[in-house]
Amino acid sequence: MAARKIPTEQRPNVRKQMDQLAFSLNQAREYFRSAESSGPTTRALMAYYGLIALANAEVLWSGDGMCSFDKRPSRFNSHGFDLVHNDSLLDYGARPKTDAKGISGLFGLWRALATHIPHYAKQTYRYSEGGSRITYGPTSGVMALKDLAHPEVPVSLLDCLRQIPSMIGALDACDEQTNLCRGVIEQHCTLTPNGSTETLSRTIMLHHLTDEALDDIGSKFRISARNVPEFRIERIGTGLAIIWEADTKTPGFAQFSMPEVFADSKEEILFVGCGDHLNEFGYYYVALYIAGMITRYYPHIWIREMRSNSKASTLIDELVDNALSRVPILTASALEQRIYLYE
């Protein structure tokens, strides 16, 4: 209440909303436990219900009093999607429901409050009088998803899987390709005795950059015309290096934008191209909705996929496994405004 400058007389309402948040977290835990012990007939659906319980937790924490269960507008009282059929299960899609005010349903409410994580980098600070220190920290602000246009066309299950970091290995095994590109950001800074910046450089490396990724992810790098002399680009094998040597003598920093990123590890990040209308949690959200609704309302389709041990059933099984371990960490990241990384 102090951090958000909420008046004292609102204490009962704040307590009510935090009780609702605690309920959502407990509900998510129970759904996830059910998914862990269930077979393929129900586990995708249980994982989806667990995820939307965590989506509610994020909304209750990030939103105001009008986001509580008993106060939120009725336009948010639905899933927020229409399931779109196709010939292949991997091409089944989800189309967000919209009205005059935008995307509706819980998905619309969650997306209105969700953000990307900031870029983070290995940062080396050297002092002009000697000595240095290395740390990891953000090098950008956060982008709100509501500021990025969501496509009007349905987002398919395969589209989602191609944007989820933990699915890269499974996709490769199934002869499918991720849309993400591995990379790293490193920053070097020299500080004067009074703490001001003497030199600043940043290197953005993209590994194994395909022509498709170059067109997609590369288009997200945009540099102000007056700052072009501060940048150089080098093609290194199948990768790309973008080096920024900041002009610290001129007031103000360079104006440029970069692709959004998903967290991978301390040493690597994953760059996102035109799929940046959702963050990592959002892609689990849509993928589990599609998988869960198929298993719930179209069992004849799911029975056929399971019995044939199809590519789709294999990938959905992997999706659920990854969601059970990854989605709670992503929620903790959103609630605590902290990036959790695997060593």
Side-chain angles (χ1 to χ4, degrees), residues 14-161:
V14 173
R15 181 176 293 278
K16 173 201 71 176
Q17 193 147 327
M18 294 304 97
D19 284 343
Q20 293 177 358
L21 190 152
F23 171 85
S24 297
L25 294 176
N26 280 321
Q27 190 177 59
R29 179 170 56 185
E30 291 175 11
Y31 276 130
F32 281 172
R33 283 177 175 171
S34 176
E36 288 170 348
S37 60
S38 298
T41 58
T42 59
R43 64 194 309 257
L45 185 64
M46 293 298 101
Y48 171 66
Y49 285 150
L51 180 144
I52 61 175
L54 292 181
N56 264 318
E58 290 189 21
V59 166
L60 292 163
W61 179 253
S62 302
D64 58 20
M66 294 306 294
C67 291
S68 63
F69 290 147
D70 49 318
K71 293 293 185 179
R72 66 181 58 168
S74 59
R75 62 185 294 267
F76 296 126
N77 293 336
S78 68
H79 290 291
F81 298 108
D82 286 319
L83 186 67
V84 179
H85 295 241
N86 215 310
D87 294 335
S88 166
L89 190 151
L90 287 175
D91 292 326
Y92 271 57
R95 180 187 289 114
K97 290 185 176 180
T98 60
D99 56 24
K101 295 182 179 180
I103 300 176
S104 59
L106 176 60
F107 176 72
L109 181 57
W110 168 83
R111 190 175 183 275
L113 297 166
T115 70
H116 280 289
I117 63 170
H119 301 108
Y120 62 89
K122 179 181 180 180
Q123 301 174 347
T124 302
Y125 291 92
R126 292 186 174 86
Y127 303 94
S128 54
E129 67 271 26
S132 65
R133 66 183 176 91
I134 296 176
T135 185
Y136 291 83
T139 59
S140 75
V142 296
M143 173 66 74
L145 296 189
K146 66 180 180 181
D147 294 333
L148 298 166
H150 195 285
E152 295 181 3
V153 297
V155 178
S156 75
L157 177 58
L158 186 57
D159 290 337
C160 295
L161 300 181

Side-chain angles (χ1 to χ4, degrees), residues 168-226:
I168 292 176
L171 286 169
D172 186 58
C174 292
D175 296 322
E176 297 288 350
Q177 191 172 24
T178 181
N179 287 340
L180 303 172
C181 180
R182 293 191 181 278
V184 64
I185 303 175
E186 293 188 355
Q187 182 166 291
H188 295 267
C189 183
T190 303
L191 301 176
T192 64
N194 65 7
S196 61
T197 301
E198 186 173 9
T199 65
L200 175 65
S201 67
R202 188 180 300 167
T203 300
I204 302 102
M205 288 286 300
L206 291 86
H207 307 311
H208 308 299
L209 192 65
T210 63
D211 290 339
E212 292 80 6
L214 181 60
D215 290 339
D216 181 20
I217 296 170
S219 68
K220 296 291 182 176
F221 288 93
R222 297 174 183 174
I223 303 167
S224 172
R226 68 180 179 86

Side-chain angles (χ1 to χ4, degrees), residues 332-343:
S333 176
L335 298 182
E336 299 181 16
Q337 295 187 329
R338 184 183 302 267
I339 301 172
Y340 287 98
L341 302 174
Y342 295 105
E343 291 288 354

